[in-house]
Amino acid sequence: MNSVEPIRDVRKIQEMKEALAYYGSERDVFLFNLGINCGLRVSDLLGLKKKDIRDYTIKLREQKTRKQKQIPLYHLKEDIDRYIQFLEDEDYLFKSNKLDSDGNDKPISRVQAYRILNHSAKSIGLSEVGTHSMRKTFGYHYYKKTKDVALLMDLFNHSSQSVTLRYIGINQDVINESISNVMMNMFN
């Protein structure tokens, strides 16, 4: 299994949104935008319905950890309003074109979400991008802006700050920068 990375460059995030709009749909852009702005795992994102975000706060029990989570989304109010305006309360946010065995709507699968994100990422020259990149991108930019690793560790339910820093790629950034600085000064 290849590991995925956060999208570190803000310009690439914008390019990703444009590629998702070009190759996909409004649904795909909203999936990415919500994913990089809330830090949830894709399994939790895909199960969301209109009723879960219409008050600009996600309240859910995480599938993996079974812990209650509440995430404010007021910073996405305009995007949410635009996206959900024609949805019913019980509609999935990321509805599949396929129906379940009973003929009911269902959300896109994790595999489909991966395909959507990966295709657009490749089209703009990004590799090592998958569904988990959204969560890592949220964490990376949150940390870069706040330097609050303790709160981020809590948000991600990680056991230590070092796990969180490694998860969002900060440790690798520090290693790369350190080696570059040492090697540049060593032989020049």
Side-chain angles (χ1 to χ4, degrees), residues 151-168:
L151 184 58
L152 193 55
M153 181 185 101
D154 190 45
L155 285 168
F156 283 163
N157 296 313
H158 285 165
S159 57
S160 71
Q161 292 183 7
S162 64
V163 167
T164 300
L165 291 172
R166 187 174 57 248
Y167 178 80
I168 62 174

Side-chain angles (χ1 to χ4, degrees), residues 4 31 38 49 56 60 64 71 106 126 138 146 183:
V4 298
L31 171 65
C38 73
K49 296 182 175 187
Y56 315 112
L60 60 78
K64 182 176 181 180
I71 302 166
K106 65 179 189 175
L126 288 177
F138 165 82
T146 68
M183 296 311 287

Side-chain angles (χ1 to χ4, degrees), residues 90-104:
E90 290 298 321
D91 288 347
Y92 286 105
L93 293 178
F94 310 110
K95 190 175 94 152
S96 173
N97 295 328
K98 299 175 183 173
L99 302 176
D100 68 14
S101 58
D102 295 326
N104 300 315

Side-chain angles (χ1 to χ4, degrees), residues 33-153:
N33 198 35
L34 186 61
I36 65 171
N37 277 282
C38 73
L40 287 175
R41 290 177 186 86
V42 73
S43 57
D44 292 319
L45 282 172
L46 295 179
L48 293 175
K49 296 182 175 187
K50 176 184 176 175
K51 67 180 181 182
D52 298 322
I53 68 164
R54 70 168 179 246
D55 296 328
Y56 315 112
T57 301
I58 296 174
K59 295 175 187 168
L60 60 78
R61 181 173 301 278
E62 290 182 310
Q63 287 184 17
K64 182 176 181 180
T65 65
R66 305 305 306 154
K67 291 184 178 180
Q68 280 295 127
K69 179 84 67 176
Q70 182 172 320
I71 302 166
L73 299 174
Y74 299 104
H75 60 291
L76 295 176
K77 184 180 185 315
E78 289 179 23
D79 291 338
I80 290 169
D81 287 344
R82 185 174 40 256
Y83 185 73
I84 68 172
Q85 66 183 330
F86 300 114
L87 297 178
E88 300 294 326
D89 275 355
E90 290 298 321
D91 288 347
Y92 286 105
L93 293 178
F94 310 110
K95 190 175 94 152
S96 173
N97 295 328
K98 299 175 183 173
L99 302 176
D100 68 14
S101 58
D102 295 326
N104 300 315
D105 287 335
K106 65 179 189 175
I108 61 172
S109 68
R110 291 175 53 145
V111 171
Q112 183 62 18
Y114 170 82
R115 287 181 186 137
I116 289 165
L117 295 171
N118 195 263
H119 179 263
S120 291
K122 284 182 179 176
S123 77
I124 62 167
L126 288 177
S127 59
E128 299 177 323
V129 171
T131 56
H132 229 50
S133 294
M134 295 184 294
R135 182 171 160 93
K136 290 183 176 194
T137 298
F138 165 82
Y140 179 85
H141 290 280
Y142 181 91
Y143 176 77
K144 287 301 234 180
K145 190 164 190 112
T146 68
K147 300 295 189 226
D148 190 346
V149 70
L151 184 58
L152 193 55
M153 181 185 101

Side-chain angles (χ1 to χ4, degrees), residues 159-180:
S159 57
S160 71
Q161 292 183 7
S162 64
V163 167
T164 300
L165 291 172
R166 187 174 57 248
Y167 178 80
I168 62 174
I170 295 295
N171 283 1
Q172 191 59 53
D173 287 355
V174 171
I175 290 168
N176 293 349
E177 186 176 326
S178 175
I179 290 172
S180 292

